[in-house]
Amino acid sequence: MALQVKYVGAKPRVSQHGVTFDSTKPDSYLLLAPALELLETLESRPDSGEARIHTLHDKAYTPREIEEALHRYCEDIDALLASAREKTDALIAEYRDKVAQNGNLTADERTAWLGNIDIMRDYYLQYILNEEAYRCLLEKIAALLHRERIRYLLFPLGRNLGLVADDLVRLLTDSKPPYDAMIRIVERDDERFGMLDLNRPEPLDI
């Protein structure tokens, strides 16, 4: 299995009646480009202690460019792929077990449900692989923020950057050392920006 990221859509819900999709759990593929854009912008900022990212590259990454970037940033692609396979197998096993334990199904319904689960295996694998790739980029951003002792990150609103920042808050909160990170909306030069505040002890000056 080679690393291939591509859009598949929201997380499926499978039943004996067919397949629907959970819009509250979108495909992480949509967040790969903004996460990569943020990571590359942070890496290329002047080494002056400046923590404000007012304008990102605004680059449209192709799937091939994202895959090449993942090979650069994720040290162990084989481990990433193995993790995606293991999580997919565990998810499929969990779903099949729930069907087996459901005593309200007829034999035909059980067969249909299990068949629908099997049909969606490749979809689930791609969905989870996209999640694993996104997690890798988030961890690289978090490590860079910690290493460079960045106190806050000011970013333009839009292009899913707020969603990436929100996921960074959860990751940083659970990191070692943990951060009491938060997101706010701030104004600067009559423009509104999102701000990821890492709550370091130094005072903010924006």
Side-chain angles (χ1 to χ4, degrees):
M1 177 183 178
L3 175 65
Q4 182 181 33
V5 293
K6 61 182 179 180
Y7 178 75
V8 288
K11 191 171 185 179
R13 288 176 173 170
V14 179
S15 73
Q16 70 271 36
H17 304 298
V19 181
T20 59
F21 298 90
D22 187 352
S23 61
T24 67
K25 296 181 180 179
D27 187 352
S28 294
Y29 179 83
L30 298 174
L31 302 178
L32 288 174
L36 180 57
E37 184 180 10
L38 179 55
L39 179 55
E40 291 190 336
T41 303
L42 281 169
E43 284 194 326
S44 64
R45 70 188 179 92
D47 188 17
S48 61
E50 179 60 71
R52 301 167 186 158
I53 307 300
H54 287 182
T55 305
L56 299 187
H57 296 313
D58 196 14
K59 178 181 178 181
Y61 294 92
T62 65
R64 178 65 178 271
E65 287 173 326
I66 293 175
E67 289 165 10
E68 290 173 350
L70 289 168
H71 277 280
R72 291 197 307 272
Y73 288 113
C74 304
E75 292 87 354
D76 195 340
I77 292 295
D78 288 339
L80 187 151
L81 294 170
S83 177
R85 286 193 296 266
E86 289 171 6
K87 290 183 178 180
T88 301
D89 289 344
L91 183 66
I92 296 297
E94 176 187 342
Y95 287 168
R96 292 181 66 88
D97 187 56
K98 286 183 178 179
V99 174
Q101 295 182 26
N102 190 331
N104 297 320
L105 298 173
T106 65
D108 287 344
E109 288 175 331
R110 181 172 286 104
T111 298
W113 199 332
L114 292 173
N116 288 334
I117 292 172
D118 290 338
I119 287 171
M120 298 303 293
R121 175 180 287 274
D122 288 346
Y123 187 111
Y124 279 117
L125 177 58
Q126 186 65 59
Y127 180 90
I128 291 173
L129 178 57
N130 292 345
E131 282 187 329
E132 294 292 289
Y134 176 53
R135 173 79 180 191
C136 169
L137 294 182
L138 283 181
E139 289 175 347
K140 294 302 175 183
I141 296 170
L144 190 151
L145 293 172
H146 176 71
R147 183 176 68 249
E148 299 297 320
R149 297 193 58 78
I150 293 175
R151 294 183 291 123
Y152 62 95
L153 174 65
L154 205 61
F155 57 89
L157 300 174
R159 305 204 310 279
N160 286 332
L161 290 167
L163 294 176
V164 174
D166 190 53
D167 288 335
L168 276 170
V169 166
R170 286 190 284 272
L171 181 60
L172 289 163
T173 300
D174 295 334
S175 68
K176 295 181 180 179
Y179 287 82
D180 185 20
M182 64 184 298
I183 297 175
R184 330 178 188 173
I185 303 298
V186 299
E187 290 192 10
R188 182 178 176 82
D189 300 327
D190 297 324
E191 289 188 69
R192 302 181 79 207
F193 294 90
M195 185 176 77
L196 172 60
D197 182 356
L198 300 182
N199 281 309
R200 289 188 180 274
E202 301 91 337
L204 288 176
D205 178 17
I206 62 171

